[in-house]
Amino acid sequence: MHTRKFQMAAVLTAALLAAGCSQGSATRTSSGEDGKTTLRYFTFSAAPDHLKDLDKIVAAFERENPKIDVVVETAPYDEYFTKLQTSIAGGTAPDTFELNYENFVTYASAGSLLDLGSVAGDGDPSVYAQESLNAFKRDGKQYALPASFSTVVLFYNKDLFEKAGVDVPTADWTWAEEQAAAAKLTDKKKGVFGDFQPVQFFEFYKTLKQAGGEFLTADGKKSAFNSPQGVKAAQWLVSKVGKTMPTEAEIGGTADYDTNLFKSGKLAMWHNGIWQFAGLKDMPFEWDVVVEPGDATRASAVFHNAVAASSTTRHGKEAWAWARFLSSSGTAATTRIESSWELPPVSDQAVLSGYLKDPKPANRQAVFDALESIALPPVIKRQQEMQDAVTKELSEAAAGRKPVPDALKAAAAAVDALLG
């Protein structure tokens, strides 16, 4: 389903990582007899569409750093953080690993990350967009380097719109216009759905912002989403289920259900991220994207990923060198842009302008337009528990087991307990 899925929060036994990792081993890094250092890197964003792109970046790094071998390990996003937590708890953490903005505070607060400033070599910080660099600082220390950013947009199947005689989405659309179009485009007898927007934490905080609400109070000490705006946002998500998008029972726990539905030409509109572009290159129908519709205001989700180093790595300087190359080198930046693998958080706008040259989707400008009204995810120390609690209650409402106000009240109580 939605690529930015919630991860399992429980830390399993250390044996799980050894059994589950598809590449590499769970042993600590070492320097071999040939004098080379083996550096492990664990990632979720490369698989499955960008492994060759990552290999290209690794090869370029190893040419510039012939005494370092980078061993890549991957896991799907919905398994990644369980495996990462397991490896850290079991003392087998990879030297370097990918972290998203939402989970960064948790890992930094737990002492799991190396202060990269303590091992940094030469490097000009101005190559990064300053706001991206600052996002991964904690207590004045740089615990990770920003490697990519992406936005969520509204994908749409132009052929379905044309066949139904419905005007395609524009940047001026509101929820009401999306809802009206989705109703006209839904044809359950043919298995065609008008809309798909996951009923979960990542969509809720964004739609809450669109409705004019806030997730947390200004001081961050209490939830603020159990409000009229929160009810409106949750109702917007829940109201689609069983009408213009499939029910939980129809989805049946099928992995990547929405992706497959869109690719099969059976989904008219799809709320998802630009990381999907590469996998949609050869679709047998015309599709495009637009900034997501708003309600009281416009707000788009922006995700940041970074590369961090384990506080237990024996190769801090090598880890910093790899993190620096992966996050800011010309090779990494151009590879990401040419392959539509999210965007590099670089300050050079000339580099980013190359992203617009790819003809599919045609409206790539929407990716940058979405940055004009950002909805950043709320972040607390007990991040995963908060995400799971909100998603659980929203799922109860979506399944009809709880009224939306009751579900929000329960979610707010759970979040307040985590903040207390």
Side-chain angles (χ1 to χ4, degrees):
M1 291 176 66
H2 196 297
T3 308
R4 297 275 176 183
K5 276 290 191 71
F6 23 95
Q7 312 92 19
M8 295 175 63
V11 177
L12 308 178
T13 61
L16 182 62
L17 181 68
C21 261
S22 59
Q23 302 180 49
S25 69
T27 57
R28 287 188 176 275
T29 57
S30 61
S31 296
E33 293 180 2
D34 57 0
K36 285 190 174 183
T37 295
T38 298
L39 200 69
R40 290 169 56 215
Y41 173 60
F42 191 29
T43 175
F44 58 81
S45 68
D49 296 322
H50 297 285
L51 289 174
K52 289 183 179 179
D53 301 316
L54 180 57
D55 286 344
K56 180 179 178 180
I57 297 171
V58 169
F61 172 77
E62 290 178 343
R63 283 194 297 271
E64 290 189 17
N65 299 271
K67 292 187 177 181
I68 305 175
D69 284 333
V70 176
V71 176
V72 174
E73 303 170 5
T74 69
Y77 189 81
D78 59 357
E79 300 173 13
Y80 179 84
F81 284 94
T82 295
K83 292 184 175 183
L84 179 58
Q85 291 166 349
T86 299
S87 68
I88 291 173
T92 59
D95 298 284
T96 56
F97 46 87
E98 189 172 16
L99 271 184
N100 56 8
Y101 172 77
E102 304 92 280
N103 285 289
F104 167 71
V105 172
T106 300
Y107 284 83
S109 300
S112 301
L113 308 182
L114 177 68
D115 172 12
L116 295 178
S118 67
V119 293
D122 295 333
D124 181 5
S126 68
V127 298
Y128 299 100
Q130 193 61 46
E131 61 272 21
S132 295
L133 192 64
N134 291 341
F136 295 98
K137 284 184 177 179
R138 178 80 173 169
D139 300 325
K141 297 179 179 179
Q142 196 75 51
Y143 284 109
L145 293 177
S148 68
F149 74 90
S150 55
T151 59
V152 172
V153 292
L154 183 68
F155 292 70
Y156 61 95
N157 182 320
K158 296 176 72 173
D159 288 4
L160 287 179
F161 273 83
E162 183 177 336
K163 289 177 183 177
V166 178
D167 291 337
V168 298
T170 71
D172 298 322
W173 262 26
T174 63
W175 288 359
E177 287 162 310
E178 179 182 340
Q179 185 179 47
K184 293 176 183 177
L185 290 157
T186 299
D187 187 342
K188 292 186 179 181
K189 290 183 179 179
K190 294 182 179 179
V192 175
F193 290 93
D195 205 353
F196 198 103
Q197 186 169 15
V199 184
Q200 40 111 311
F201 167 83
F202 287 105
E203 292 298 326
F204 175 66
Y205 80 75
K206 176 185 62 182
T207 53
L208 174 66
K209 190 78 172 178
Q210 292 170 353
E214 296 292 339
F215 194 92
L216 299 174
T217 55
D219 59 9
K221 294 182 179 180
K222 189 175 176 61
S223 67
F225 60 81
N226 186 20
S227 63
Q229 295 89 345
V231 170
K232 188 174 186 180
Q235 190 61 50
W236 163 246
L237 295 174
V238 169
S239 66
K240 300 182 181 186
V241 179
K243 295 179 181 177
T244 57
M245 68 177 273
T247 64
E248 186 178 290
E250 288 171 324
I251 294 170
T254 305
D256 296 324
Y257 179 94
D258 52 338
T259 303
N260 294 329
L261 191 64
F262 190 80
K263 286 183 174 181
S264 68
K266 299 289 188 178
L267 180 58
M269 290 180 285
W270 186 30
H271 294 258
N272 216 303
I274 64 174
W275 51 86
Q276 297 286 359
F277 286 179
L280 299 175
K281 285 288 187 183
D282 301 318
M283 292 300 97
F285 55 84
E286 291 297 314
W287 62 277
D288 208 344
V289 297
V290 68
V291 175
E292 286 184 291
D295 184 52
T297 188
R298 196 170 300 282
S300 298
V302 178
F303 295 104
H304 281 85
N305 294 334
V307 56
S310 170
S311 59
T312 61
T313 182
R314 297 176 181 176
H315 307 294
K317 290 188 179 298
E318 292 85 352
W320 179 86
W322 165 240
R324 172 79 182 182
F325 191 90
L326 179 60
S327 61
S328 67
S329 69
T331 298
T334 55
T335 298
R336 288 185 182 279
I337 288 173
E338 290 173 356
S339 64
S340 292
W341 179 17
E342 302 186 340
L343 283 162
V346 295
S347 57
D348 188 348
Q349 294 302 303
V351 173
L352 293 175
S353 66
Y355 188 76
L356 298 175
K357 295 178 181 178
D358 194 312
K360 200 162 188 177
N363 187 28
R364 283 181 171 243
Q365 181 59 43
V367 174
F368 296 101
D369 292 343
L371 297 173
E372 295 175 6
S373 303
I374 293 176
L376 286 175
V379 174
I380 67 172
K381 287 185 178 181
R382 299 173 71 176
Q383 183 71 19
Q384 191 59 57
E385 294 171 87
M386 177 181 71
Q387 294 173 188
D388 290 345
V390 173
T391 295
K392 175 180 177 295
E393 293 300 332
L394 289 174
S395 298
E396 290 289 295
R401 292 187 288 267
K402 278 187 181 181
V404 165
D406 291 353
L408 276 193
K409 183 178 180 181
V415 172
D416 287 340
L418 295 172
L419 290 166

